[in-house]
Amino acid sequence: MAKLEVKNLSMSYDGKNKILEDLSLSIQDGELVSILGPSGCGKTTTLRIIAGLLKQTDGEIIVGEKNISNLPVHKREFGMVFQSYALFPHLSVFNNVAFGLKMRKLDKKQIQEKVENVLSVTGLSDLAKRFPAELSGGQQQRVSLARALVINPQVLLLDEPLSNLDAKLRVEMREEIRRLQQELKMTAIFVTHDQEECFAISDKVAVMNRGRVEQFDTPQAIYQEPKTLFVAKFIGFENFIKVVGYDGEAYLTESNIKLAAQAKENTRYLTIRPRQIKIIETANDSENVVKGRIINRTYLGNSYRYTVKTSLGVLKVDDFEHDVLSRDEDVILELAVKNLLPLEN
Amino acid sequence: MLDRKNKPLLIFGLVVMFIILVPLVLVVITSFGNQPTISLPIKGFTFEWYKNILQQPDFVDGFKMSLFVALIASFSALLIGIPAVYALTRYNLQHAEWFQSFFLSPTLIPEIVVGFALYQTAVISFKLPLLISLLVGHFLLCLPYVIRLVSASMLILDPHIEEAAWVSGCTKGQAFFLVVLPNIKASVIAAFMMCFINSFNNIPISLFLNGPALNMLPTAILNYLQNNYDPTVSAISVVLMIFTAVMMWVVEKFLGVNKLVK
Ligand SMILES: Nc1ncnc2c1ncn2[C@@H]1O[C@H](COP(=O)(O)OP(=O)(O)OP(=O)(O)O)[C@@H](O)[C@H]1O
Ligand SMILES: [Mg+2]
């Protein structure tokens, strides 16, 4: 249990391609931070470097006040849950969990006590004598979690721990992980490429792309105010309007239209969610109004998705207020200033 | 009730068993026969030939020597082979497959050639003691079994379980003994058995590296047969069968279930 700081981490497997570049994260004591990103962006690499299973090319890792950048893996005292669980096949559930305590040379009574305690917390008491091959996926996952928790680690590392489970179990297990993490007040890093999963359980989310952290924020902030084009795309924004300048009041789009939005440096795109674009009856004097023609319509259950061709480009609009509109109808769209978000590249 | 389709299979199985077992049974029977040559059917029953084994110093000394060589060769093959397999499967060695072929190459060369080559190089050119050359020969005979059998089980072992052990506080050495070895134990035992049996029964290599004080049991039997055709040979064969079976049972019993685990 400690604050974890990752400073300017760089990593290259072959000395040429940089897999991680100047990656920094600061995780407070007792926080659960998710690393979210597409496949191959370097999530596992980051986690393995923090665990000590890989050596960084450059950068520092600090736990509490201690610089552990060069500490070998077996001295780091972290708990880790592997994607494949990696239980010891030749040991019973009890001995799998007791393994780390035996390495720390605790006496028998203490080991018994601690293992029983963590087994009951993870709901495994009845399975203590079983072997990994005799457990279901969810149970193995729990053993793996119990094994990581029992040593009372300074930091708990989880690499896509839920990816082998079915949808229902995933939801149950992620809530259990969150509950245990909060109960034991553990500092934790949770790697995933599932957006919903990470929003549901994290205090903070680091969105990664190509070895860099694009945004490190609370789930709410990331959802409501993505900072970059990549983050916005990754969490489901669909309308992107390229801008070329800012005249002090409004942004200027490629097609020379003025759009008012919050001023921010380095803005390259404006974005807005499909359901925040309003279809209005008559063009008024207010800002950010644009004419367009419907080129496609899809039924989404509680709304209609219109694809509208405008002078700003093709926009996706979700509408659940109006009567059904049909193809080739002309519409007027309003992109409210407060909903139009500036994005960096 | 037997499934009709399985009947031919069953018959086939029985025929094969018969072909394998009949010579063994015949050897056992002839070892008790009281005629001075190996013949069937036996006319009377005697333990004479078993007693005769102990009166042949070649057999007694050969047994001791073969046992000694087989044990040393098997253990050294395990000692060298297991780390080699570990390196081949766990580290991204360049040209790993070359090493693999190199380690397996003794299987490709007829043993008689290995024996002759060792005699030529080790004994004639390098003037190594005969015993050392013999041990090297048997070691080379054993190594491929270790490489083959152990790498098969090493490859299916999830490399993450070792990492889990390191994270739990094991040094790499501890992790090897506490996590890797127990999980490849079955193949190590199998490799030991293959090594031991093959070394103990080997003739081609021992033939070339034979010497006055270096008398191996299989070659001693061969020599004996050239001058005598009495049932002593059957008797010693029976003794060897029993010895090998007991030895395997002991290994399995004391190293097999649960022993390496704890
Ligand atoms: N041992 C290795 N040698 C060379 N390159 C590697 C190695 N391991 C990973 N890489 C490369 O490093 C990059 C990042 O890999 P990493 O495993 O960290 O991705 P990830 O974000 O965990 O992806 P996923 O979501 O698919 O698990 C990838 O481009 C991958 O090809
Ligand atoms: Mg990964």
Side-chain angles (χ1 to χ4, degrees):
Chain A
M1 272 140 277
K3 183 179 154 126
L4 173 72
E5 255 191 290
V6 175
K7 284 188 183 162
N8 311 103
L9 217 54
S10 290
M11 175 65 193
S12 168
Y13 285 100
D14 55 8
K16 278 177 283 178
N17 295 320
K18 283 211 162 176
I19 303 296
L20 300 182
E21 244 185 302
D22 205 20
L23 183 141
S24 299
L25 283 176
S26 170
I27 300 168
Q28 300 305 314
D29 194 358
E31 252 183 1
L32 190 153
V33 167
S34 288
I35 300 181
L36 177 69
S39 188
C41 71
K43 305 181 294 290
T44 299
T45 305
T46 308
L47 206 69
R48 289 171 65 81
I49 290 175
I50 295 172
L53 293 169
L54 273 179
K55 182 90 179 77
Q56 69 275 23
T57 321
D58 212 349
E60 290 181 341
I61 298 157
I62 294 155
V63 176
E65 302 294 309
K66 205 170 151 213
N67 186 336
I68 59 155
S69 310
N70 294 312
L71 203 65
V73 44
H74 65 277
K75 291 191 179 154
R76 292 202 180 182
E77 318 223 312
F78 289 173
M80 185 156 180
V81 176
F82 291 82
Q83 187 171 348
S84 61
Y85 312 140
L87 300 180
F88 307 128
H90 63 297
L91 297 178
S92 66
V93 167
F94 184 94
N95 284 325
N96 258 282
V97 177
F99 190 89
L101 299 175
K102 285 184 184 161
M103 294 317 299
R104 283 167 179 71
K105 308 237 181 329
L106 267 64
D107 66 56
K108 267 207 154 137
K109 229 181 98 200
Q110 269 181 303
I111 292 179
Q112 182 84 18
E113 213 169 275
K114 286 192 182 223
V115 173
E116 273 170 10
N117 187 25
V118 77
L119 287 181
S120 88
V121 172
T122 47
L124 289 165
S125 301
D126 297 339
L127 304 174
K129 292 208 175 71
R130 297 247 196 118
F131 284 84
E134 303 164 342
L135 300 176
S136 73
Q139 291 165 340
Q140 289 183 29
Q141 207 271 335
R142 263 184 256 205
V143 177
S144 169
L145 191 62
R147 182 178 66 182
L149 292 175
V150 75
I151 59 169
N152 208 359
Q154 306 197 55
V155 177
L156 179 64
L157 305 171
L158 306 118
D159 190 1
E160 306 205 25
L162 307 177
S163 59
N164 287 341
L165 305 179
D166 65 49
K168 187 161 166 283
L169 207 53
R170 285 175 80 120
V171 175
E172 273 175 41
M173 287 306 305
R174 79 181 187 211
E175 270 152 24
E176 196 151 320
I177 289 174
R178 178 58 161 168
R179 178 179 65 78
L180 286 168
Q181 180 263 337
Q182 287 185 321
E183 220 170 274
L184 306 171
K185 299 192 175 59
M186 236 175 306
T187 308
I189 304 183
F190 185 99
V191 164
T192 179
H193 54 235
D194 185 318
Q195 186 205 127
E196 186 201 320
E197 192 168 286
C198 93
F199 281 5
I201 69 169
S202 320
D203 294 305
K204 275 180 151 188
V205 177
V207 183
M208 264 184 86
N209 180 30
R210 297 186 188 193
R212 295 165 173 278
V213 174
E214 293 253 341
Q215 188 169 354
F216 184 42
D217 246 324
T218 61
Q220 292 79 4
I222 286 186
Y223 189 75
Q224 285 158 12
E225 278 179 66
K227 287 212 173 77
T228 67
L229 180 66
F230 173 83
V231 175
K233 277 188 178 162
F234 198 72
I235 62 168
F237 280 85
E238 289 173 273
N239 298 314
F240 302 98
I241 303 158
K242 193 157 181 166
V243 298
V244 291
Y246 186 71
D247 69 358
E249 281 171 8
Y251 290 95
L252 204 63
T253 72
E254 269 181 321
S255 46
N256 253 333
I257 295 170
K258 282 188 176 181
L259 279 177
Q262 182 201 343
K264 221 177 96 191
E265 269 184 79
N266 297 328
T267 298
R268 294 284 151 76
Y269 293 89
L270 296 175
T271 191
I272 185 165
R273 288 185 188 277
R275 66 183 151 75
Q276 288 172 330
I277 299 181
K278 282 232 161 58
I279 298 176
I280 54 178
E281 306 302 329
T282 46
N284 51 18
D285 287 345
S286 69
E287 297 165 299
N288 298 357
V289 170
V290 63
K291 284 182 188 157
R293 172 167 291 184
I294 295 173
I295 56 173
N296 201 0
R297 183 186 77 197
T298 322
Y299 182 53
L300 295 180
N302 55 9
S303 65
Y304 281 93
R305 156 74 49 102
Y306 300 107
T307 309
V308 184
K309 194 166 183 312
T310 71
S311 49
L312 292 170
V314 173
L315 295 177
K316 303 246 162 74
V317 181
D318 286 352
D319 182 87
F320 34 89
E321 288 171 8
H322 295 83
D323 295 334
V324 186
L325 303 168
S326 49
R327 272 185 66 167
D328 294 330
E329 253 181 274
D330 286 327
V331 287
I332 303 166
L333 304 177
E334 185 187 26
L335 287 61
V337 175
K338 67 173 179 1
N339 292 328
L340 203 54
L341 305 175
L343 298 176
E344 291 170 27
N345 204 350
Chain B
M1 266 221 3
L2 260 182
D3 196 320
R4 258 182 125 187
K5 271 193 196 148
N6 278 339
K7 236 180 188 169
L9 202 64
L10 182 75
I11 292 169
F12 181 74
L14 286 176
V15 169
V16 170
M17 277 252 292
F18 188 73
I19 293 172
I20 293 174
L21 283 179
V22 161
L24 296 184
V25 173
L26 293 185
V27 168
V28 174
I29 294 172
T30 55
S31 73
F32 294 110
N34 62 355
Q35 295 109 307
T37 58
I38 299 175
S39 56
L40 274 169
I42 57 172
K43 298 243 167 68
F45 188 87
T46 174
F47 279 113
E48 203 47 48
W49 311 115
Y50 285 90
K51 282 185 202 145
N52 191 35
I53 296 173
L54 295 176
Q55 269 134 41
Q56 303 296 325
D58 275 2
F59 284 172
V60 178
D61 295 344
F63 177 82
K64 285 183 196 154
M65 183 51 82
S66 282
L67 186 62
F68 173 74
V69 169
L71 286 176
I72 300 276
S74 306
F75 279 117
S76 48
L78 290 178
L79 228 53
I80 306 280
I82 296 174
V85 168
Y86 186 80
L88 282 173
T89 52
R90 280 296 180 265
Y91 297 99
N92 273 327
L93 292 184
Q94 284 199 327
H95 311 304
E97 63 283 10
W98 293 3
F99 284 104
Q100 185 95 7
S101 322
F102 172 74
F103 283 126
L104 295 174
S105 58
T107 28
L108 299 176
I109 304 164
E111 283 168 25
I112 198 127
V113 177
V114 174
F116 176 68
L118 269 173
Y119 183 69
Q120 271 294 334
T121 51
V123 181
I124 306 280
S125 308
F126 289 105
K127 308 246 181 314
L128 286 182
L130 214 49
L131 179 62
I132 301 291
S133 317
L134 187 70
L135 286 172
V136 169
H138 280 244
F139 166 77
L140 288 178
L141 177 77
C142 291
L143 195 57
Y145 291 103
V146 178
I147 302 286
R148 259 287 140 79
L149 288 164
V150 177
S151 58
S153 67
M154 198 66 202
L155 282 173
I156 56 169
L157 189 68
D158 179 4
H160 292 308
I161 73 165
E162 257 170 277
E163 295 180 346
W166 301 339
V167 173
S168 303
C170 280
T171 61
K172 304 212 165 169
Q174 286 172 320
F176 179 80
F177 286 103
L178 292 174
V179 170
V180 178
L181 206 50
N183 284 301
I184 58 170
K185 178 188 64 175
S187 70
V188 171
I189 291 171
F192 173 78
M193 290 183 178
M194 294 304 284
C195 289
F196 183 85
I197 293 172
N198 273 284
S199 163
F200 195 81
N201 293 332
N202 181 272
I203 290 182
I205 291 177
S206 307
L207 214 51
F208 278 97
L209 303 167
N210 234 330
L214 267 185
N215 175 27
M216 308 285 281
L217 188 56
T219 45
I221 296 175
L222 207 63
N223 285 337
Y224 185 88
L225 263 176
Q226 281 169 351
N227 304 319
N228 317 276
Y229 194 63
D230 67 38
T232 310
V233 174
S234 297
I236 194 159
S237 305
V238 173
V239 171
L240 287 183
M241 273 192 255
I242 294 170
F243 167 74
T244 314
V246 168
M247 165 118 189
M248 294 307 129
W249 180 79
V250 168
V251 168
E252 178 60 44
K253 176 95 180 156
F254 289 97
L255 285 177
V257 194
N258 294 331
K259 272 296 182 284
L260 270 179
V261 175
K262 283 166 192 164

